[in-house]
Structure formats: C-alpha cells, structure tokens
Amino acid sequence: MYKSKKTIIFIIIILMISLMACSLTGAKATEVPTSPPEASEAPANAPTQPVPTTESPTQEIPTAEPITQGGADGLEVIHPIFYQDAYDGYHVVGLVKNNSNRPVSAVELTLEARNADDVSLLKDNNDAAVETTIFYPKLLYLFPGESAPFDYSFDIENDTLASIHVTATNSYSANTTRVEANVVKTEFLNAGSGDYYITGEVVNNSSTPMYLKDMAGAVLDDSGNVVANDWSFSYSHFLAPAGDEGGMDRTPFLISLSGPEDSDYKDFQVFLDAVVADEMVIPDLDIQLTNGYFDEYNDFHVVGTVENRGLETYAPDLVTGLYDVSGVVLDVSSVGSAFFVEPGKTVPFDATYFSIVGWNTDTAIRVDSYTVQMDPYWTNAAYINEVVSLNTVNLTESVNGNTWEFSGEVTNDSDKNLGRLNLMVAAYDGETLVAIGEATVFPQDDGYAPGDVESFSITIYLGSDMDASTLTYKAFLQGEVK
C-alpha cells in the first residue's frame, strides 16, 4: 500500500533564481534565471506553441494510401503510412485501436513492405529476405476504445519502398486496471529538420497510486493522422494518488521525436499507459533546491541536495521540470545520480542535460520556475553495491572566466578494494550551495586497492553572476566496493 510522505519530495513551485529558495507556499519570484547572453529580455507575449516562422515547403510524404486496415479480435490498424528520415531509413507509422470490449496487452502487428515489383523488402536478423515481420505499438496495454501509435523503422539498400500493409494479428488479455490520468500544461515545438518536442504534465486524478508504464507522443497532420511518434523517457513512472501533499501526484514530461523533414506540422497527441501501481517502497529522501542558473554555454542548471532519512543506500533518479510564468512546461531532464546517498547523509546534485533551453533562445528566456522530484520506480536500492566515503584528496584550482577547473589526486584510504570512483566538487556562496562539478573514474586494471591513488579533473560551469574568488568549495569522494 502507498503511504504518502511529505519528506519524500520537496517541490519548489516558485523559486527565485537568486540564492534564496522558497517553500511550497512561497511568494512569486520577482527575478528570473540569468538568460543566455543574447537573450536578455522576454517577449511581451510569449507564444504557447512556438513554431518556426520560416516558410516550409510542402513535402510529398506520406506516400502510402490513407486506408484503414483490419485486424484480429476487434483490433484495427488506422491510416498506416511510411516516410524516409534524414538518414534515408524508412518509417512505417500509424495507430492501432482496440474496438473490442476487453483490455488487451502486447498487441502484435504484422508488416508487409514491398517495392514496385511486389517484392518484399524486409529481412530477418540474419539478413535473409522474409515476407513479413512482427513488431509492437508504443503502449503495452490497450483498453476498449483506446489507440496507441506505432513506428517500425528499417533500411533498404538500392531499392525503393512502394507499398505497405500493416495488420493486427494477435494480442493477449490484460490483467490490470486503468487509472484516470490526464495531460495538462502542454507545449509543442516544431524545431525544423524533422525534430519535434512535446512537453507537459501528467496528473493522476485517481485515489490509487499510479504506474505510468509507457508514454508516447505523436505528431499529427491537418487531418489528425499520425505522421511521427516516439516514446518518452523523461518523466516519473510512479505517481501518488490525487492530492498528494508532497506533489507526487503529477510529473512533468518531455517527448523528443524525429519525423518527416521540412514539414510545418503543428498538432500532436499524447498517449498514456497508466495502470494501478503494485505495492512500492518509497525511499525517504528529502530534496532541497538551492540555485538555478544558465552557464556561459547556455546550459541550465538546477542545484540542490538530497538527504537520505532512511535505512537503505540509494542512487536517486531525479525528474526536473522547467516552467514559464503561466505554468506551461518548457523542458524536462530525467537523469540518475552517479552518487549513492548513504543513510543519514546529504549529497549535492546538479540537474542539467535539458533538451530545448540550451539552444532555443525563445524558450530559454521564458523559464520562470522549476521543480525537482524523485522517480521512486528508478530510485532502487536493491542492485546497489556497497559504497565507502573517501577523505584523502589533493586539489589544484584554476579559473578561466566562468569556468572553475579542478585537478587532483584521490587516495583509496579505505580498507576495501574499489571499482569506480564518484567524485564531486561543490561551490558555496557562504553556506548556500550554488554549483557543482562531477567526475566518475574507472580503474585500468582490477580495481583500486587500499592505498592506491587516482588522478582526476572536474569542471564547474558557473553562472555569469558568480565570481569564483568569492566562493568556497568542498570535495565529495566516494568509492564503490568491488
């Protein structure tokens, strides 16, 4: 049974991008994150769906006829088409719909793909020609009336695809319960060259914990037909029941996908495979946010700490969402920490690796607030090796503009043989954590014996308003026991 814990997650709804963090009920920030140098002012009316304004030529794809193909057990394949991507690979895309009165799982789709001479262009794993191939849609479960997108990609040498046929040929009964969830705060970005982004928030509206098993997004043409689709991997897979006091009943998400080039598509759809969650242990981790900023390379950083109040060691998986002033989700990062947090300890983190704001100035200047939450599904202690803290290190520092570089040597001062080493240098303005740099090093032989020394280098990318000469730093050193 799920048990809500406010200390599991601490989501900052509005956080000043200066060094002061606010509580859940804090006042609206009066300052915004330091913008990239070339984008110091936000437009008066920021668009809710930014789309390139340059004219896009009409592309002669998809090339398949707009048809509906049949299937077994009430399954229907809707409008399958194909196109070539930027690497000349073919994609077969469309929807499969469950028209039956029962939920199904693992829907099997069978594809035929032929050239103009009616010769099959499909091959098996041994590169031998085959008449058909089997693949599956993006969602595992389909309940009555639901649809799921599919995308099968393959390469063809010295030939051209002329026709396809997709049929739903098999499925299994689903022994699970659908959860009521919806998608809000969405944004669609056509980035050009066949790159598309869908962002938003998934909300659990039910009274039960939710497992978001799969999630996919699709780009639609003017008739509402799927022309490209892909999975999302940037979201929290576990959501608490509606109204959770810690904010774990929702998650930001990002879907990045590739599709037909040079097309001005503006519509999209999000598909959720949300089911009742089995019993799950929620790590007792407390997340505190301390800073957020753009560095000189226009990468956004959200900095904070994770305190482990439990009895197990965890490597937290953190989902970070960036929002505009109206609450629209602009970008999402979902990354696991290289650092393991031992019971009773607090470890800094830097959430970065955002897909959009680092290159898209129009989106970057709209960042107004952010959230960080743990994904309990991937924050798992079961597989983790024993870790030890290390204390012996020699550091040399140098500053080059807003880049703070460290080099040094760390000693295995434990009595254990170690595998990889996790190293971090954290920068502080007074007692406030403002930035960190990390490195992971691996042995060249069988590991690090007690007394072994390893060299390393770490770079901290500071914000434009940070001065390394006024900051202090602290090293965090950890080894994984072999």
Side-chain angles (χ1 to χ4, degrees):
M1 179 180 295
Y2 168 78
K3 182 177 181 181
S4 176
K5 296 183 180 179
K6 188 172 183 179
T7 60
I8 294 169
I9 178 172
F10 187 78
I11 297 184
I12 305 296
I13 302 300
I14 298 294
L15 182 65
M16 295 183 66
I17 308 301
S18 61
L19 304 181
M20 183 70 71
C22 300
S23 68
L24 286 171
T25 56
K28 176 176 170 55
T30 56
E31 299 181 23
V32 297
T34 303
S35 298
E38 68 273 19
S40 58
E41 295 184 2
N45 296 303
T48 57
Q49 292 190 1
V51 178
T53 56
T54 56
E55 294 184 3
S56 299
T58 301
Q59 191 175 32
E60 294 182 359
I61 54 91
T63 54
E65 292 295 325
I67 58 177
T68 297
Q69 300 176 352
D73 300 325
L75 297 172
E76 177 186 15
V77 176
I78 301 174
H79 199 83
I81 57 94
F82 63 86
Y83 68 91
Q84 277 187 286
D85 60 25
Y87 305 98
D88 296 327
Y90 282 98
H91 291 254
V92 176
V93 300
L95 285 176
V96 58
K97 183 178 181 180
N98 182 3
N99 290 320
S100 74
N101 59 3
R102 63 185 181 90
V104 297
S105 67
V107 174
E108 178 184 279
L109 301 173
T110 299
L111 168 66
E112 297 178 23
R114 301 181 179 277
N115 65 12
D117 296 324
D118 203 33
V119 176
S120 176
L121 298 176
L122 300 173
K123 294 183 178 181
D124 63 16
N125 292 333
N126 297 318
D127 207 32
V130 293
E131 289 297 308
T132 62
T133 192
I134 293 173
F135 68 106
Y136 301 88
K138 299 298 185 184
L139 305 187
L140 176 63
Y141 299 114
L142 272 183
F143 279 64
E146 293 182 346
S147 299
F150 59 79
D151 181 347
Y152 182 81
S153 60
F154 60 105
D155 295 319
I156 298 173
E157 294 183 4
N158 304 318
D159 212 332
T160 302
L161 180 60
S163 66
I164 60 170
H165 191 82
V166 183
T167 309
T169 49
N170 196 15
S171 66
Y172 299 87
S173 295
N175 185 21
T176 189
T177 303
R178 182 61 87 213
V179 170
E180 181 186 353
N182 68 320
V183 176
V184 298
K185 302 179 181 178
T186 58
E187 179 145 294
F188 176 71
L189 174 63
N190 181 339
S193 300
D195 293 326
Y196 305 87
Y197 298 89
I198 303 170
T199 55
E201 212 173 58
V202 176
V203 181
N204 182 4
N205 295 317
S206 75
S207 59
T208 63
M210 185 182 99
Y211 173 37
L212 188 51
K213 182 170 182 57
D214 290 309
M215 182 177 184
V219 178
L220 309 178
D221 64 16
D222 291 340
S223 299
N225 298 311
V226 173
V227 294
N229 62 91
D230 207 344
W231 279 290
S232 172
F233 300 99
S234 299
Y235 62 91
S236 179
H237 291 69
F238 177 87
L239 296 182
D244 178 72
E245 61 180 1
M248 287 184 65
D249 59 347
R250 62 196 61 229
T251 177
F253 69 85
L254 166 74
I255 305 170
S256 60
L257 53 96
S258 297
E261 295 186 276
D262 302 323
S263 297
D264 193 21
Y265 297 118
K266 297 182 177 67
D267 295 325
F268 67 96
Q269 185 173 350
V270 177
F271 301 83
L272 305 179
D273 197 355
V275 296
V276 172
D278 296 330
E279 182 177 354
M280 183 177 294
V281 176
I282 309 298
D284 193 357
L285 303 179
D286 180 57
I287 298 173
Q288 298 287 340
L289 306 184
T290 59
N291 196 24
Y293 66 94
F294 283 97
D295 66 25
E296 62 180 321
Y297 299 102
N298 298 340
D299 290 325
F300 195 74
H301 300 255
V302 177
V303 181
T305 60
V306 178
E307 179 186 1
N308 187 350
R309 298 178 177 179
L311 301 177
E312 301 271 6
T313 297
Y314 291 96
D317 188 271
L318 302 178
V319 180
T320 304
L322 307 183
Y323 297 77
D324 72 3
V325 67
S326 61
V328 170
V329 179
L330 301 176
D331 209 341
V332 180
S333 171
S334 179
V335 294
S337 172
F339 253 82
F340 299 118
V341 188
E342 299 174 80
K345 294 191 175 182
T346 299
V347 174
F349 70 85
D350 178 7
T352 185
Y353 304 113
F354 293 97
S355 298
I356 302 174
V357 296
W359 60 268
N360 189 297
T361 301
D362 290 339
T363 302
I365 59 179
R366 293 167 54 201
V367 176
D368 179 75
S369 61
Y370 44 85
T371 63
V372 177
Q373 66 192 86
M374 171 189 59
D375 182 0
Y377 182 78
W378 289 112
T379 302
N380 194 329
Y383 71 95
I384 294 175
N385 294 328
E386 179 187 359
V387 295
V388 294
S389 296
L390 305 176
N391 301 291
T392 306
V393 63
N394 295 315
L395 280 177
T396 301
E397 60 172 310
S398 63
V399 178
N400 182 12
N402 290 101
T403 301
W404 200 0
E405 298 176 346
F406 296 83
S407 60
E409 294 180 333
V410 58
T411 301
N412 179 6
D413 52 17
S414 74
D415 59 356
K416 308 284 188 179
N417 289 315
L418 304 179
R420 76 177 190 182
L421 305 177
N422 302 317
L423 312 171
M424 180 190 302
V425 177
Y428 295 83
D429 185 349
E431 296 183 354
T432 302
L433 174 70
V434 294
I436 69 170
E438 296 181 82
T440 299
V441 294
F442 298 86
Q444 295 182 355
D445 46 30
D446 295 330
Y448 300 107
D452 281 357
V453 177
E454 178 65 274
S455 60
F456 66 92
S457 61
I458 289 176
T459 301
I460 300 179
Y461 298 98
L462 300 172
S464 60
D465 59 345
M466 299 182 198
D467 182 355
S469 66
T470 67
L471 305 178
T472 59
Y473 64 85
K474 177 182 178 181
F476 293 79
L477 315 167
Q478 183 181 88
E480 296 184 36
V481 178
K482 293 192 65 178

